[in-house]
């Protein structure tokens, strides 16, 4: 599931494959960009901003993409068979003489002036893996709605950019609070931003995400409903959090985490 760590990894792979190279193939398979031809332009750089990818091109253009739940960019060598899904799921193809980047299931794909990138990402809070990371600013944004549930607040990219559903559950476990606890009742709010940054930084370059450091059991609670907690042995539970249609499955340990939670 793409979150800040994996999106930054994707940006790194795309940058390594395309940056400094002239595009020889440009195929954007969304209606509004169907007639756009980027061939002949050099890729300047590819950067991540939270969960967003910004491919900056010569001439002051930026191709903005977002992976959401299951989108991906795959890199292929010349002649290599493309793998990542059926052809009808391909939304973008950017090719150079040595590499081809293929974007599968991209729910967001738009072309912007580089000077207008804020139209796409200007609403985001501090990026946990970016040069703009500011725990003070993130805390101020979280504190602006003290009644809001912690799980919902950390998923809101306007507060801090990069946390997704996996890290939400794992972060709350490490804080020993349920995801339904109001932000204003956190016993140590500063620890939230410190742990969030530490978790994403620790996974910035890992091929497989982990919060436990154990390869056999990489996560404490996410995806472990009905199984014993790795810390106390209580049965890990799951419930939906959020309002439809944006509710998300949430995992927690009733033994380790204190605060409100849905009835069993």
């Amino acid at each position: 599931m793409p979150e800040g760590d994996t999106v930054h990894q994707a940006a790194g792979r795309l940058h390594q494959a395309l940056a400094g190279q002239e595009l020889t193939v440009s195929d954007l398979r969304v209606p509004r960009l169907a007639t756009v031809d980027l061939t002949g332009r050099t890729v300047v750089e590819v950067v991540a901003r939270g969960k967003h990818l910004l491919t900056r091109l010569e001439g002051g253009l930026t191709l903005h993409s977002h992976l959401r739940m299951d989108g991906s960019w795959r890199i292929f060598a010349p002649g290599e068979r493309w793998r990542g899904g059926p052809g009808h799921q391909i939304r973008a193809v950017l090719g150079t003489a040595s590499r081809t980047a293929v974007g599968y299931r991209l729910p967001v794909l738009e072309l912007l002036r580089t000077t207008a990138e804020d139209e796409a990402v200007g609403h985001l809070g501090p990026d946990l893996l970016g040069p703009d990371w500011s725990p003070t600013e993130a805390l101020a944004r979280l504190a602006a709605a003290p009644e809001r549930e912690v799980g919902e607040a950390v998923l809101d990219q306007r507060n801090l950019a990069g946390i997704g559903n996996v890290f939400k559950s794992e972060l709350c476990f490490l804080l020993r609070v349920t995801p339904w606890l109001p932000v204003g009742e956190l016993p140590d709010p500063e620890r939230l931003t410190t742990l969030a940054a530490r978790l994403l930084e620790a996974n910035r370059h890992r091929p497989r995400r982990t919060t436990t450091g154990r390869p056999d059991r990489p996560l404490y609670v996410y995806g472990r409903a009905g199984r014993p907690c790795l810390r106390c042995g209580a049965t890990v539970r799951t419930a939906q959090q959020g309002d439809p249609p944006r509710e998300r499955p949430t995992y927690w340990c009733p033994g380790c985490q204190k605060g409100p939670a849905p009835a069993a």
Side-chain angles (χ1 to χ4, degrees), residues 10 43 51 67 74 111 114 123 136 146 148 164 215 235 250 254:
V43 177
K51 299 181 187 179
L67 307 180
R74 304 293 183 93
L111 192 64
T114 301
H123 66 287
T136 302
R148 197 171 189 191
T235 302
T250 300

Side-chain angles (χ1 to χ4, degrees), residues 5-132:
D5 56 338
T6 50
V7 173
H8 275 259
Q9 290 175 24
R13 290 192 296 270
L14 287 166
H15 181 84
Q16 184 177 26
L18 303 177
Q21 304 294 313
E22 180 181 304
L23 291 178
T24 57
V25 176
S26 165
D27 185 3
L28 305 180
R29 302 180 184 180
V30 296
R32 62 188 295 185
L33 301 179
T35 61
V36 171
D37 184 6
L38 300 175
T39 57
R41 294 179 185 266
T42 297
V43 177
V44 177
E45 62 181 344
V46 183
V47 299
R49 180 74 172 85
K51 299 181 187 179
H52 300 252
L53 285 165
L54 302 170
T55 302
R56 294 170 179 155
L57 305 164
E58 178 186 26
L61 294 179
T62 294
L63 186 66
H64 165 231
S65 59
H66 195 296
L67 307 180
R68 293 216 176 137
M69 296 295 287
D70 64 344
S72 69
W73 280 95
R74 304 293 183 93
I75 309 297
F76 302 101
E80 184 179 359
R81 179 177 173 270
W82 295 358
R83 304 173 307 280
H88 70 265
Q89 293 183 348
I90 295 173
R91 297 293 178 266
V93 182
L94 300 176
T96 71
S98 59
R99 291 288 186 273
T100 299
V102 182
Y104 289 89
R105 300 172 300 279
L106 302 177
V108 175
L109 190 68
E110 60 180 342
L111 192 64
L112 308 166
R113 300 298 305 180
T114 301
T115 54
E117 286 179 356
D118 273 358
E119 295 177 8
V121 297
H123 66 287
L124 297 175
D127 185 344
L128 284 152
L129 292 177
D132 69 317

Side-chain angles (χ1 to χ4, degrees), residues 181-197:
L181 184 78
V183 169
E185 295 182 24
L186 277 170
D188 185 1
E190 290 80 8
R191 189 161 178 260
L192 185 155
T193 54
T194 299
L195 268 176

